[in-house]
Amino acid sequence: MNVVLAVKQYISKMIEDSGPGMKVLLMDKETTGIVSMVYTQSEILQKEVYLFERIDSANREVMKHLKAICFLRPTKENVDYLIQELRRPKYSIYFIYFSNVISKSDVKSLAEADEQEVVAEVQEFYGDYIAVNPHLFSLNILGCCQGRNWDPAQLSRTTQGLTALLLSLKKCPMIRYQLSSEAAKRLAECVKQVITKEYELFEFRRTEVPPLLLILDRCDDAITPLLNQWTYQAMVHELLGINNNRIDLSRVPGISKDLREVVLSAENDEFYANNMYLNFAEIGSNIKNLMEDFQKKKPKEQQKLESIADMKAFVENYPQFKKMSGTVSKHVTVVGELSRLVGERNLLEVSEVEQELACQNDHSSALQNVKRLLQNPKVTECDAARLVMLYALHYERHSSNSLPGLMMDLRNKGVSEKYRKLVSAVVEYGGKRVRGSDLFSPKDAVAITKQFLKGLKGIENVYTQHQPFLHETLDHLIKGKLKENLYPYLGPSTLRDRPQDIIVFVIGGATYEEALTVYNLNRTTPGVRIVLGGTTVHNTKSLLKIQDRSGEEKGGEVTVLANSTAVAWAPPELYVKRAPDVSAVSSVLLKT
Amino acid sequence: MASLDDPGEVREGFLCPLCLKDLQSFYQLQTHYEEEHSGEDHDVKGQIKSLVQKAKKAKNRLLKREGDDRAESGTQGYESFSYGGVDPYMWEPQELGAVRSHLSDFKKHRAARIDHYVVEVNKLIIRLEKLTAFDRTNAESAKIRAIEKSVVPWVNDQDVPFCPDCGNKFSIRNRRHHCRLCGSIMCKKCMELISLPLANKLTSASKDSLSSHTSPSQSPNSVHGSRRGSISSVSSVSSVLDEKDDDRIRCCTHCKGTLLKREQQIDEKEHIPDIVKLYEKLQLCMEKVDQKAPEYIRMATSLNYVEGTPATLIEQVGEGPQATGTIAKCSIWSAGETTYRLEHANDLRVEVQKVYELIDALSKKILTLGLNQDPPPHPNTLRLQRMIRYSATLFVQEKLLGLMSLPTQEQFEELKKRKEEMERKKMLEKQASLESQRRLEERRSDLPSRANGEVVYLRRGSAPLRKAEGWLPLSGGQGQSEDLDPLLQQIHNITSFIKQAKAAGRTDEVRTLQENLRQLQDEYDQQQTEKAIELSRKQAEEEDLQREQLQRLCEREWEREREQFQAASLHTRTRSLDFREIRPFQLEPSTEPCTHLAHALDLGSSPVQSSATPKTPSPSSALEPIRVWPGPPALGQEFLPQSTMSQQREVPSLNPFEEEDSSSPTAEVSTSPHAAEPSCGPPSHILKEYNPFEEEEEEVAVAGNPFTNSNSPAPNPFSEEDERPVPGNPFEEATCTNPFEMDSDSGPEGEEPIEEELLLQQIDNIKAYIFDAKQCGRLDEVEVLTENLRELKRTLAKQKGGSDWPLGR
């Protein structure tokens, strides 16, 4: 069920099968992203792969002393490129791997192009998705639907991605989908169709309890991607944006050249792996520890180096030290920037109100708070619009809804029309009319009691009250209580036992907060493994971008946006009420 | 662990045995029991009570452990404790995902295609052969034409009014030409010619390949043969008139294309590029290292840890958590110490080091392949070369650092003596404890796993307290490892009493006894922990002591070394074969490693080879210039570090890094082979080969004489690097994923990571020399060195400013 491992194993197998010798890896735009998420350059270098080329790059030299490993999506263009390549082979021998099912006719035309018999292997290796974390994958498709319906091209890509995932994990699942979403039903049917058509591929060893694929639609919970996040990974994505594990820091004031773009990967960066799910305050203190460690390791003063033992110790620690210095500066920069943004944009206050809007039902207080923040000059137009969106989503049907007033406030604040239009676009996207389930007021008795108890105890952490709606859905699913009238099975058979292996796919994109929820569910629920996927991994910006586009053009071209790692959610008890220790963090940062 | 967190499972442990009522905790169970079942059988009650006590104890321990883990998790990470589910990072390994092969399908289609192709090509080749079988140059053209026409039927002129290639109408001016290989017609513009040498090459090659294997790739050139009715045909006549080129064969573009493809194939088959040859050697070397290095490390460890005590040193090699384990291992190694001889290890070390040098030289060679050629190589070729070099550097860095140095003979002897004493003592102790253990085991066969746990416990010191899960639940009867402990004896007695009491059915007594037993055990636990702590402290003290001795040894050797040095005799040391040791070798003309290298690099006349010849000036003369030239040119520089190094060489460092240090001083001097020649003369040539990082230094040298000014005292070696990750720093690269970017176009900066890294290293080295020089009171040297240092730093700063190493690469 580990998606990173699944892709990695495919790549390793390819390289292994090609035998010893210098190799070049031929990829297309998408597979490049897929490979780079699971392998580092130095890792792959050690396997004698020295060059990485794009199949579509014209400027490739003939190098007959290299073996070529081609890892390509089975698209028409790629097949054409490959045919041209085989007609005039640039490398001595070709190992061809397609990331998905390829048609027999394509195989035939390739075979006919291979007059020089340079092809040694043609296989399908189903690594056709971006593996972000072991339990999170993405397809990097931003904007997969036109209105309520699928863009046909994206539907087919999504179906391919999802079936590839199933094949790579060797799961032949039962499928459930969200009834309120037409898109979810379409996708479920398409996936089923592929499973039926390629039944030979999907013949795996039967498990006692069959795996389950649950297909959801983002519009059922438009709140989650609109909230500010406070766990490391999610926060970085929300404030800086993670794109295939890379973070663009070029806009950070005074950034050094080396740090314009940094890579955050849990596979290689121990600090990141250990801290990606911790909240901002904890990260501050961990960064401090990291730095103290670092300082301990580096010989402080000249005097300290006077003894041979000191020197020796220093040199012995050198490799670790070097490694550490890279990590330290990277994370210090990232956290420093986060903390700067938090201060500059007044995010603590904004986030508190956001959480109130998302989790509580006190209309008048919420309205008052939103109004107050709209007056605050430090609040950016995006944040202001976001608050109004949250308000509009929550109190859409409230008797004393004062959305028009807030819209006026936005106008007065000087928020551009683009953002004001987005408010209605978001309501149209994720409003009550669309939602299949109730996002805000819990209906069943247990949930009500829970909320009541929570009210009694007081909220432990104002910034992390929100639990994504997905949590409840999955919780019900695991307990076998997910209602069949809302989430029907596709086909006649139903699951009698509690599900064990669950794959959740969110049309329209998952979020890192949800990934964290899934991560925690995995850790707390014995015997259950959950993998989360989405057409993309959202932050507020990307969600609004879709709305923006669909509002204006109603369809049109779809951008493929690279997205990456995943989750945002801190266990409340770890979080200090009120101010996360921003000042401490910054003071630490200043000191260095 | 799951049971503690999930109340549903804990419950299992607290069922009342009599009424099976589920009670949430043992307290409740106890009260419940006392209230409900107090009147019932005492025997049962006693048993339950002890059970409860046991459970309580286990729970306390488990809770404590969990507490520890939790605390740890704050800093160490999320993996250390779990709630019962599984962290996705810990999911069990899975098999490879589904795959589907299309190869057989592919082959089927290809075979059909290729058969067709092969037939066609063979046909062409046969024709070509026929066309070239006779002496064309001397034969009459009419005769030639006749033969040509007999090879392939020519297409009728009348059938082709337009040139099929360009579409022009044939006329008297634009005449028809026949392809000699297929008989088709084209105009003069579209006609191609095949020279006889090419034809011969093709036919002879295909004969070879035909005889050797039936490869489909033979594309023969068939020349269009004879013309029928040549005299009657106007076009033919005219063509005869125009073209006296009978040493060439006319053909159409299609046939020519096929033939050229074929030629290319032949060429490629025969030609093995230099890079492949070098690369194969490189791979061989790497394999060798992979074989030899582990063996050497085993030896070195065994020799170095003769005493079995320098655990801290190991700790620094194998980091953190493993260290405790290593201590245990180290005592095992030390036992096998006599199996390896020091000389043997030294030989092996030299061997491995030579292979490393070879790897370095080879990869460097690959890097510079074709750089001086006139049309510079394709950027991709350069990229390939850089990548190979880079990965070789990574390889060397990674593996070489794992090579620890060996003790010198004297040290070794001394260590050995001490070791023997200690061993004797230890043996006695061990025997005693072993015996007691055996006795214990015999007596308490009901708790077999205990003893094992205990041994581990003792050996590892206090560290594994929280780790050794295995022995926690067994805490009921801990601490049998030392028989002599009165507490233990007491415990044994009591347990046997309990048994007896139980057998006699005296439940009351059993209860009191059990209470006693518990207290005793607690006491014993505590004692044991204290002991463990004590043990580890002792160990640490021993280490300190030893380190001190080592240091003293070093100093003594330094002293000696300096004397020798001042006598201007750079002696070759025979015992310690540190990496540094190679330098003395190098200074002798025509040293063994040199020839070795030259041998390896037999491809072409490289500067490397030539450099092996020059003689080295005597070290003393080399030292002179230092004082003369204040901003020492490379030559002086070379010997300066040398002199300091020769002292430093004595440090019996176990640290691989230092080796690198010592090897790199040469780097300072040697610039690129060409640049080096004028400035530093022969010695640097010789040395050059030994420096794995030489070519990185080029930049330093090019940037002007880096060693010129400044006299700051040795500054903090780290001032340059902290907080400023060098983009190209390979270490950094390793820490973060580097999703490679295909788009990035191969800038020439590819080498930079290593270069900067090297600069930094260089700086550190120089600092070390300064330190050494100070210690020896050689102030003039200190001054010169500090100057160098400054210059280097400046270069570094410059480079950092100018470098833009895209992360993607």
mmCIF file of all heavy atoms in Angstrom, chain A residues 10 41 48 52 61 114 124 246 261 265 273 298 314 321 519 523, chain B residues 78 85 87 98 102 110 279 381 718 722 737 739 742 764 807 809:
data_model
loop_
_atom_site.group_PDB
_atom_site.id
_atom_site.type_symbol
_atom_site.label_atom_id
_atom_site.label_comp_id
_atom_site.label_asym_id
_atom_site.label_seq_id
_atom_site.Cartn_x
_atom_site.Cartn_y
_atom_site.Cartn_z
ATOM 1 N N TYR A 10 9.197 -0.090 -9.257
ATOM 2 C CA TYR A 10 9.123 -0.157 -10.716
ATOM 3 C C TYR A 10 10.395 0.387 -11.342
ATOM 4 O O TYR A 10 11.003 -0.232 -12.220
ATOM 5 C CB TYR A 10 7.936 0.667 -11.227
ATOM 6 C CG TYR A 10 6.611 -0.054 -11.235
ATOM 7 C CD1 TYR A 10 5.463 0.572 -10.787
ATOM 8 C CD2 TYR A 10 6.503 -1.348 -11.721
ATOM 9 C CE1 TYR A 10 4.229 -0.070 -10.803
ATOM 10 C CE2 TYR A 10 5.291 -1.997 -11.741
ATOM 11 C CZ TYR A 10 4.150 -1.363 -11.279
ATOM 12 O OH TYR A 10 2.953 -1.990 -11.312
ATOM 13 N N GLN A 41 18.848 12.228 -7.516
ATOM 14 C CA GLN A 41 19.800 12.102 -8.604
ATOM 15 C C GLN A 41 20.988 11.228 -8.205
ATOM 16 O O GLN A 41 21.413 10.366 -8.962
ATOM 17 C CB GLN A 41 20.288 13.488 -8.994
ATOM 18 C CG GLN A 41 21.009 13.476 -10.300
ATOM 19 C CD GLN A 41 21.673 14.788 -10.573
ATOM 20 O OE1 GLN A 41 21.998 15.534 -9.655
ATOM 21 N NE2 GLN A 41 21.881 15.083 -11.822
ATOM 22 N N GLU A 48 24.260 3.628 -12.339
ATOM 23 C CA GLU A 48 24.853 3.815 -13.666
ATOM 24 C C GLU A 48 23.934 4.522 -14.654
ATOM 25 O O GLU A 48 24.107 4.387 -15.857
ATOM 26 C CB GLU A 48 25.290 2.479 -14.273
ATOM 27 C CG GLU A 48 26.385 1.784 -13.493
ATOM 28 C CD GLU A 48 26.884 0.564 -14.230
ATOM 29 O OE1 GLU A 48 27.775 0.719 -15.058
ATOM 30 O OE2 GLU A 48 26.373 -0.542 -13.986
ATOM 31 N N PHE A 52 19.715 11.966 -18.262
ATOM 32 C CA PHE A 52 18.260 11.989 -18.223
ATOM 33 C C PHE A 52 17.807 12.859 -19.383
ATOM 34 O O PHE A 52 18.170 14.018 -19.458
ATOM 35 C CB PHE A 52 17.767 12.566 -16.900
ATOM 36 C CG PHE A 52 18.486 11.976 -15.729
ATOM 37 C CD1 PHE A 52 19.525 12.643 -15.133
ATOM 38 C CD2 PHE A 52 18.127 10.735 -15.258
ATOM 39 C CE1 PHE A 52 20.209 12.081 -14.075
ATOM 40 C CE2 PHE A 52 18.808 10.166 -14.206
ATOM 41 C CZ PHE A 52 19.857 10.839 -13.605
ATOM 42 N N GLU A 61 22.150 13.723 -28.809
ATOM 43 C CA GLU A 61 23.263 13.264 -29.610
ATOM 44 C C GLU A 61 23.197 11.752 -29.768
ATOM 45 O O GLU A 61 22.657 11.053 -28.922
ATOM 46 C CB GLU A 61 24.544 13.636 -28.858
ATOM 47 C CG GLU A 61 25.788 13.525 -29.672
ATOM 48 C CD GLU A 61 27.001 13.535 -28.773
ATOM 49 O OE1 GLU A 61 26.826 13.587 -27.544
ATOM 50 O OE2 GLU A 61 28.115 13.471 -29.299
ATOM 51 N N ASP A 114 11.100 -0.729 -35.684
ATOM 52 C CA ASP A 114 12.361 -1.205 -35.112
ATOM 53 C C ASP A 114 13.108 -2.088 -36.105
ATOM 54 O O ASP A 114 13.320 -3.275 -35.886
ATOM 55 C CB ASP A 114 12.058 -1.964 -33.816
ATOM 56 C CG ASP A 114 13.316 -2.435 -33.132
ATOM 57 O OD1 ASP A 114 14.373 -1.806 -33.351
ATOM 58 O OD2 ASP A 114 13.260 -3.426 -32.396
ATOM 59 N N GLU A 124 4.606 -2.876 -19.675
ATOM 60 C CA GLU A 124 3.809 -1.868 -18.987
ATOM 61 C C GLU A 124 4.159 -1.923 -17.507
ATOM 62 O O GLU A 124 4.021 -2.957 -16.864
ATOM 63 C CB GLU A 124 2.314 -2.168 -19.177
ATOM 64 C CG GLU A 124 1.844 -1.943 -20.600
ATOM 65 C CD GLU A 124 0.447 -2.506 -20.838
ATOM 66 O OE1 GLU A 124 -0.187 -2.968 -19.866
ATOM 67 O OE2 GLU A 124 -0.002 -2.471 -21.986
ATOM 68 N N ARG A 246 9.301 20.523 -4.468
ATOM 69 C CA ARG A 246 10.171 21.689 -4.508
ATOM 70 C C ARG A 246 9.430 22.916 -4.003
ATOM 71 O O ARG A 246 8.226 23.056 -4.205
ATOM 72 C CB ARG A 246 10.609 21.994 -5.923
ATOM 73 C CG ARG A 246 11.467 20.958 -6.530
ATOM 74 C CD ARG A 246 11.478 21.247 -7.968
ATOM 75 N NE ARG A 246 12.191 20.219 -8.686
ATOM 76 C CZ ARG A 246 13.042 20.492 -9.647
ATOM 77 N NH1 ARG A 246 13.286 21.726 -9.973
ATOM 78 N NH2 ARG A 246 13.642 19.528 -10.278
ATOM 79 N N GLU A 261 15.497 27.815 -4.677
ATOM 80 C CA GLU A 261 14.571 26.694 -4.746
ATOM 81 C C GLU A 261 15.128 25.590 -3.861
ATOM 82 O O GLU A 261 16.272 25.195 -3.999
ATOM 83 C CB GLU A 261 14.454 26.187 -6.176
ATOM 84 C CG GLU A 261 13.366 25.164 -6.317
ATOM 85 C CD GLU A 261 13.238 24.663 -7.744
ATOM 86 O OE1 GLU A 261 14.196 24.075 -8.249
ATOM 87 O OE2 GLU A 261 12.184 24.863 -8.328
ATOM 88 N N SER A 265 11.931 16.668 0.901
ATOM 89 C CA SER A 265 11.478 15.307 0.663
ATOM 90 C C SER A 265 11.687 14.466 1.899
ATOM 91 O O SER A 265 12.786 14.394 2.433
ATOM 92 C CB SER A 265 12.251 14.705 -0.507
ATOM 93 O OG SER A 265 12.140 13.309 -0.458
ATOM 94 N N ALA A 273 11.258 14.688 7.522
ATOM 95 C CA ALA A 273 10.464 13.485 7.764
ATOM 96 C C ALA A 273 9.929 13.483 9.190
ATOM 97 O O ALA A 273 8.789 13.092 9.444
ATOM 98 C CB ALA A 273 11.310 12.245 7.522
ATOM 99 N N LYS A 298 29.929 21.971 15.657
ATOM 100 C CA LYS A 298 31.003 22.763 15.061
ATOM 101 C C LYS A 298 31.869 23.327 16.157
ATOM 102 O O LYS A 298 31.375 23.811 17.170
ATOM 103 C CB LYS A 298 30.437 23.864 14.171
ATOM 104 C CG LYS A 298 30.084 25.123 14.883
ATOM 105 C CD LYS A 298 29.632 26.146 13.882
ATOM 106 C CE LYS A 298 29.456 27.484 14.559
ATOM 107 N NZ LYS A 298 28.764 28.431 13.725
ATOM 108 N N PHE A 314 36.471 16.910 15.579
ATOM 109 C CA PHE A 314 35.869 17.767 14.557
ATOM 110 C C PHE A 314 35.899 17.093 13.182
ATOM 111 O O PHE A 314 34.913 17.010 12.477
ATOM 112 C CB PHE A 314 36.594 19.112 14.554
ATOM 113 C CG PHE A 314 36.746 19.715 13.192
ATOM 114 C CD1 PHE A 314 35.624 20.016 12.429
ATOM 115 C CD2 PHE A 314 37.993 19.998 12.670
ATOM 116 C CE1 PHE A 314 35.762 20.567 11.176
ATOM 117 C CE2 PHE A 314 38.122 20.541 11.422
ATOM 118 C CZ PHE A 314 37.008 20.822 10.676
ATOM 119 N N PHE A 321 28.450 16.728 9.857
ATOM 120 C CA PHE A 321 28.344 18.158 10.022
ATOM 121 C C PHE A 321 27.973 18.839 8.721
ATOM 122 O O PHE A 321 27.086 19.676 8.659
ATOM 123 C CB PHE A 321 29.681 18.686 10.531
ATOM 124 C CG PHE A 321 29.781 20.160 10.507
ATOM 125 C CD1 PHE A 321 29.194 20.904 11.505
ATOM 126 C CD2 PHE A 321 30.446 20.795 9.483
ATOM 127 C CE1 PHE A 321 29.269 22.262 11.462
ATOM 128 C CE2 PHE A 321 30.523 22.158 9.447
ATOM 129 C CZ PHE A 321 29.933 22.896 10.435
ATOM 130 N N TYR A 519 -3.096 10.069 7.656
ATOM 131 C CA TYR A 519 -1.891 9.576 8.321
ATOM 132 C C TYR A 519 -2.204 9.173 9.757
ATOM 133 O O TYR A 519 -1.843 8.088 10.220
ATOM 134 C CB TYR A 519 -0.828 10.675 8.290
ATOM 135 C CG TYR A 519 0.419 10.359 9.060
ATOM 136 C CD1 TYR A 519 1.376 9.509 8.535
ATOM 137 C CD2 TYR A 519 0.634 10.922 10.315
ATOM 138 C CE1 TYR A 519 2.516 9.219 9.235
ATOM 139 C CE2 TYR A 519 1.778 10.631 11.024
ATOM 140 C CZ TYR A 519 2.719 9.776 10.476
ATOM 141 O OH TYR A 519 3.855 9.485 11.185
ATOM 142 N N ARG A 523 -2.340 5.483 11.729
ATOM 143 C CA ARG A 523 -1.551 5.156 12.912
ATOM 144 C C ARG A 523 -2.413 4.725 14.081
ATOM 145 O O ARG A 523 -1.945 4.041 14.979
ATOM 146 C CB ARG A 523 -0.718 6.359 13.330
ATOM 147 C CG ARG A 523 0.321 6.715 12.286
ATOM 148 C CD ARG A 523 1.495 7.343 12.918
ATOM 149 N NE ARG A 523 1.134 8.402 13.840
ATOM 150 C CZ ARG A 523 1.887 8.763 14.863
ATOM 151 N NH1 ARG A 523 3.006 8.142 15.093
ATOM 152 N NH2 ARG A 523 1.505 9.742 15.646
ATOM 153 N N TYR B 78 8.104 10.996 14.691
ATOM 154 C CA TYR B 78 6.790 10.427 14.857
ATOM 155 C C TYR B 78 6.810 8.915 14.845
ATOM 156 O O TYR B 78 5.832 8.282 15.089
ATOM 157 C CB TYR B 78 5.890 10.927 13.726
ATOM 158 C CG TYR B 78 6.514 10.746 12.395
ATOM 159 C CD1 TYR B 78 6.373 9.531 11.735
ATOM 160 C CD2 TYR B 78 7.281 11.744 11.820
ATOM 161 C CE1 TYR B 78 6.969 9.336 10.526
ATOM 162 C CE2 TYR B 78 7.882 11.540 10.599
ATOM 163 C CZ TYR B 78 7.721 10.338 9.954
ATOM 164 O OH TYR B 78 8.318 10.135 8.749
ATOM 165 N N GLY B 85 -2.232 1.530 15.271
ATOM 166 C CA GLY B 85 -2.227 1.431 13.816
ATOM 167 C C GLY B 85 -0.793 1.401 13.349
ATOM 168 O O GLY B 85 0.120 1.269 14.152
ATOM 169 N N ASP B 87 2.144 3.356 11.086
ATOM 170 C CA ASP B 87 2.591 4.513 10.338
ATOM 171 C C ASP B 87 2.799 4.095 8.882
ATOM 172 O O ASP B 87 3.418 3.073 8.616
ATOM 173 C CB ASP B 87 3.924 4.963 10.938
ATOM 174 C CG ASP B 87 4.374 6.267 10.348
ATOM 175 O OD1 ASP B 87 4.359 6.372 9.106
ATOM 176 O OD2 ASP B 87 4.730 7.166 11.106
ATOM 177 N N ALA B 98 1.860 -4.824 -10.495
ATOM 178 C CA ALA B 98 1.574 -5.616 -11.679
ATOM 179 C C ALA B 98 2.402 -5.124 -12.863
ATOM 180 O O ALA B 98 2.733 -3.945 -12.945
ATOM 181 C CB ALA B 98 0.098 -5.517 -12.015
ATOM 182 N N HIS B 102 4.827 -6.818 -23.459
ATOM 183 C CA HIS B 102 4.364 -6.893 -24.842
ATOM 184 C C HIS B 102 5.466 -7.406 -25.740
ATOM 185 O O HIS B 102 5.381 -7.291 -26.955
ATOM 186 C CB HIS B 102 3.947 -5.503 -25.334
ATOM 187 C CG HIS B 102 2.691 -5.014 -24.717
ATOM 188 N ND1 HIS B 102 1.469 -5.529 -25.045
ATOM 189 C CD2 HIS B 102 2.458 -4.084 -23.772
ATOM 190 C CE1 HIS B 102 0.527 -4.922 -24.336
ATOM 191 N NE2 HIS B 102 1.108 -4.042 -23.553
ATOM 192 N N ARG B 110 7.775 -7.486 -35.330
ATOM 193 C CA ARG B 110 9.068 -7.041 -35.821
ATOM 194 C C ARG B 110 9.667 -8.098 -36.752
ATOM 195 O O ARG B 110 10.217 -7.779 -37.801
ATOM 196 C CB ARG B 110 10.007 -6.788 -34.649
ATOM 197 C CG ARG B 110 11.351 -6.268 -35.078
ATOM 198 C CD ARG B 110 12.190 -5.838 -33.921
ATOM 199 N NE ARG B 110 12.548 -6.969 -33.055
ATOM 200 C CZ ARG B 110 13.249 -6.817 -31.934
ATOM 201 N NH1 ARG B 110 13.618 -5.630 -31.538
ATOM 202 N NH2 ARG B 110 13.551 -7.863 -31.204
ATOM 203 N N TYR B 279 35.496 3.503 -19.056
ATOM 204 C CA TYR B 279 34.398 3.249 -18.128
ATOM 205 C C TYR B 279 34.423 1.806 -17.652
ATOM 206 O O TYR B 279 34.193 1.529 -16.481
ATOM 207 C CB TYR B 279 33.067 3.561 -18.801
ATOM 208 C CG TYR B 279 31.904 3.398 -17.880
ATOM 209 C CD1 TYR B 279 31.607 4.376 -16.938
ATOM 210 C CD2 TYR B 279 31.111 2.263 -17.919
ATOM 211 C CE1 TYR B 279 30.563 4.226 -16.082
ATOM 212 C CE2 TYR B 279 30.055 2.107 -17.059
ATOM 213 C CZ TYR B 279 29.774 3.089 -16.143
ATOM 214 O OH TYR B 279 28.734 2.934 -15.270
ATOM 215 N N THR B 381 27.553 14.862 -24.428
ATOM 216 C CA THR B 381 28.725 14.045 -24.148
ATOM 217 C C THR B 381 29.435 14.585 -22.919
ATOM 218 O O THR B 381 29.820 13.844 -22.027
ATOM 219 C CB THR B 381 29.687 14.084 -25.343
ATOM 220 O OG1 THR B 381 28.935 13.809 -26.516
ATOM 221 C CG2 THR B 381 30.786 13.080 -25.181
ATOM 222 N N PHE B 718 35.194 26.920 10.493
ATOM 223 C CA PHE B 718 33.818 26.791 10.039
ATOM 224 C C PHE B 718 33.218 28.084 9.592
ATOM 225 O O PHE B 718 32.111 28.130 9.137
ATOM 226 C CB PHE B 718 32.981 26.205 11.148
ATOM 227 C CG PHE B 718 33.245 24.784 11.228
ATOM 228 C CD1 PHE B 718 34.184 24.303 12.085
ATOM 229 C CD2 PHE B 718 32.616 23.920 10.374
ATOM 230 C CE1 PHE B 718 34.454 22.979 12.116
ATOM 231 C CE2 PHE B 718 32.898 22.601 10.417
ATOM 232 C CZ PHE B 718 33.813 22.134 11.294
ATOM 233 N N ASP B 722 29.061 27.555 7.742
ATOM 234 C CA ASP B 722 27.798 27.325 8.422
ATOM 235 C C ASP B 722 26.710 28.152 7.785
ATOM 236 O O ASP B 722 26.937 29.220 7.270
ATOM 237 C CB ASP B 722 27.877 27.618 9.909
ATOM 238 C CG ASP B 722 29.008 28.500 10.238
ATOM 239 O OD1 ASP B 722 29.962 28.546 9.438
ATOM 240 O OD2 ASP B 722 28.964 29.153 11.240
ATOM 241 N N THR B 737 16.112 15.777 -1.880
ATOM 242 C CA THR B 737 15.911 15.130 -3.163
ATOM 243 C C THR B 737 16.311 16.107 -4.205
ATOM 244 O O THR B 737 16.087 17.284 -4.076
ATOM 245 C CB THR B 737 14.441 14.929 -3.505
ATOM 246 O OG1 THR B 737 13.689 15.514 -2.515
ATOM 247 C CG2 THR B 737 14.149 13.532 -3.803
ATOM 248 N N PRO B 739 15.160 16.312 -7.542
ATOM 249 C CA PRO B 739 14.413 15.843 -8.705
ATOM 250 C C PRO B 739 15.106 16.430 -9.914
ATOM 251 O O PRO B 739 15.240 17.637 -10.025
ATOM 252 C CB PRO B 739 13.048 16.470 -8.530
ATOM 253 C CG PRO B 739 12.976 16.901 -7.125
ATOM 254 C CD PRO B 739 14.379 17.168 -6.688
ATOM 255 N N MET B 742 15.028 17.738 -16.594
ATOM 256 C CA MET B 742 15.525 17.396 -17.902
ATOM 257 C C MET B 742 15.810 18.657 -18.703
ATOM 258 O O MET B 742 16.618 18.670 -19.598
ATOM 259 C CB MET B 742 14.526 16.543 -18.656
ATOM 260 C CG MET B 742 14.175 15.275 -17.938
ATOM 261 S SD MET B 742 15.453 14.706 -16.856
ATOM 262 C CE MET B 742 16.563 14.046 -18.036
ATOM 263 N N ASP B 764 39.877 24.013 5.186
ATOM 264 C CA ASP B 764 40.018 23.294 6.445
ATOM 265 C C ASP B 764 41.421 22.711 6.590
ATOM 266 O O ASP B 764 42.028 22.763 7.648
ATOM 267 C CB ASP B 764 38.993 22.181 6.517
ATOM 268 C CG ASP B 764 37.603 22.745 6.578
ATOM 269 O OD1 ASP B 764 37.481 23.942 6.909
ATOM 270 O OD2 ASP B 764 36.661 22.028 6.283
ATOM 271 N N LEU B 807 19.399 23.394 -9.056
ATOM 272 C CA LEU B 807 19.122 22.229 -8.233
ATOM 273 C C LEU B 807 18.804 21.016 -9.076
ATOM 274 O O LEU B 807 18.997 19.898 -8.683
ATOM 275 C CB LEU B 807 17.911 22.530 -7.369
ATOM 276 C CG LEU B 807 18.266 22.881 -5.949
ATOM 277 C CD1 LEU B 807 17.040 23.273 -5.214
ATOM 278 C CD2 LEU B 807 18.945 21.713 -5.284
ATOM 279 N N ARG B 809 20.099 19.643 -11.379
ATOM 280 C CA ARG B 809 21.054 18.789 -12.068
ATOM 281 C C ARG B 809 21.773 17.790 -11.212
ATOM 282 O O ARG B 809 21.960 17.888 -10.082
ATOM 283 C CB ARG B 809 22.102 19.664 -12.671
ATOM 284 C CG ARG B 809 21.492 20.552 -13.713
ATOM 285 C CD ARG B 809 21.979 20.194 -15.075
ATOM 286 N NE ARG B 809 23.358 19.846 -15.023
ATOM 287 C CZ ARG B 809 24.292 20.718 -14.860
ATOM 288 N NH1 ARG B 809 23.993 21.967 -14.699
ATOM 289 N NH2 ARG B 809 25.541 20.345 -14.850
#
